[in-house]
Amino acid sequence: MNAVQIKRIYEPVAAEDGYRVLVDRLWPRGISKDAAALDDWPKNIAPSHELRRWYGHDPKRWEEFRRRYKDELAAQTDALERLRERARKGAITLLFSAKDEVHNQAVVLKEVLEK
């Protein structure tokens, strides 16, 4: 598998991004569709509305969020396999809008895709 990268959607588009995938359920504020330069937006792999609201980007809830989100992802085998297949062909970048670059769903999704 080639590199699975993560990046805030607010960072400039780069050639090394490869296939750009938004992993947020909601569209990021202040970004136009053109500026996002997305190749895919599979909303079904984003955390559920309930999980997202519960987590609230509270680092104290990080480990439990990771566990619950991995449980949700377990039901998305087709979407995960499509991303893995894409990663076998070249670089993919998982894009997220959260300010916290360490505690967000892209980090968890990257772990799941690479295992």
Side-chain angles (χ1 to χ4, degrees):
M1 184 178 299
N2 286 304
V4 175
Q5 309 163 110
I6 62 173
K7 179 177 180 175
R8 284 192 81 218
I9 195 159
Y10 301 102
E11 294 176 38
V13 176
E16 57 272 7
D17 289 349
Y19 192 76
R20 292 171 53 87
V21 181
L22 179 61
V23 297
D24 288 356
R25 191 166 292 267
L26 303 174
W27 188 260
R29 288 189 181 144
I31 292 284
S32 70
K33 301 240 189 244
D34 286 343
L38 294 182
D39 294 300
D40 199 0
W41 184 20
K43 295 179 192 133
N44 57 328
I45 63 164
S48 65
H49 290 297
E50 297 77 20
L51 180 56
R52 191 175 50 80
R53 284 188 202 107
W54 172 83
Y55 176 48
H57 297 285
D58 180 350
K60 290 188 267 342
R61 293 182 170 180
W62 172 242
E63 289 304 321
E64 180 64 14
F65 170 79
R66 284 179 70 238
R67 188 189 66 71
R68 291 184 187 188
Y69 182 38
K70 285 179 179 181
D71 286 348
E72 288 185 358
L73 287 171
Q76 301 300 330
T77 53
D78 290 348
L80 292 172
E81 191 48 42
R82 278 193 301 276
L83 289 177
R84 284 186 184 110
E85 185 60 35
R86 180 56 74 162
R88 285 194 261 296
K89 296 175 184 171
I92 68 169
T93 299
L94 307 176
L95 300 162
F96 63 95
S97 61
K99 289 184 176 116
D100 187 335
E101 295 186 29
V102 176
H103 305 102
N104 66 71
Q105 71 273 15
V107 172
V108 180
L109 182 54
K110 181 181 191 298
E111 285 175 23
V112 169
L113 289 172
E114 290 181 336
K115 75 170 188 160

